[in-house]
């Protein structure tokens, strides 16, 4: 479905039934996008596996969207441009220089 492959900014929740976690991750990663992902599970091994394999800039576990300003936010692949917020986001606005001096 087109809605499963494109970024949709709105109250839309497409659902596809799968038989395995591998199949779910394959479908979730089969896109050019990757801004945010969500997983709802009471299984710590499942959560760790999703966290390790999902191709997204942010992952929410057992909760809805909402972020901390001190956290870095960025997308993956064709989602988002650069990053923002947090220490790493601040680095996007800086230029590092090395100065060698002798007195």
């Amino acid at each position: 479905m087109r809605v499963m492959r494109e970024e949709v900014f709105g109250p839309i929740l497409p659902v596809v039934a799968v038989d395995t976690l591998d199949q779910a991750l394959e479908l979730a990663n089969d896109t050019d996008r990757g801004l945010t992902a969500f997983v709802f599970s009471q299984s710590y091994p499942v959560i760790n596996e999703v966290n390790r394999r999902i191709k997204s800039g942010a992952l929410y576990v057992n909760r809805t969207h909402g972020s901390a300003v001190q956290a870095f936010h960025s997308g993956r692949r064709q989602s988002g441009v650069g990053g923002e917020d947090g220490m790493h986001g601040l680095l996007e606005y800086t230029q590092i220089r090395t100065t060698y001096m002798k007195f």
Side-chain angles (χ1 to χ4, degrees):
M1 290 183 293
R2 184 175 170 188
V3 71
M4 299 295 281
R5 300 184 55 82
E6 296 181 2
E7 283 184 321
V8 179
F9 295 95
I12 296 172
L13 179 63
V15 176
V16 173
V18 295
D19 295 319
T20 66
L21 180 59
D22 286 337
Q23 186 181 11
L25 286 164
E26 184 179 326
L27 287 170
N29 289 330
D30 184 27
T31 178
D32 292 339
R33 311 294 178 195
L35 193 57
T36 303
F38 298 84
V39 61
F40 292 86
S41 176
Q42 296 303 313
S43 169
Y44 195 69
V46 167
I47 292 167
N48 279 337
E49 185 73 4
V50 171
N51 192 38
R52 187 175 67 79
R53 294 176 51 194
I54 197 76
K55 295 177 183 174
S56 67
L59 174 64
Y60 290 86
V61 178
N62 295 331
R63 58 170 286 187
T64 58
H65 193 271
S67 55
V69 71
Q70 70 271 21
F72 183 66
H73 300 99
S74 70
R76 293 286 162 46
R77 301 174 295 228
Q78 293 182 22
S79 289
V81 177
E84 58 187 26
D85 298 331
M87 178 186 72
H88 298 290
L90 181 61
L91 293 176
E92 294 284 326
Y93 300 99
T94 63
Q95 181 176 352
I96 297 173
R97 175 196 327 244
T98 301
T99 303
Y100 298 93
M101 299 176 70
K102 181 177 180 181
F103 280 93

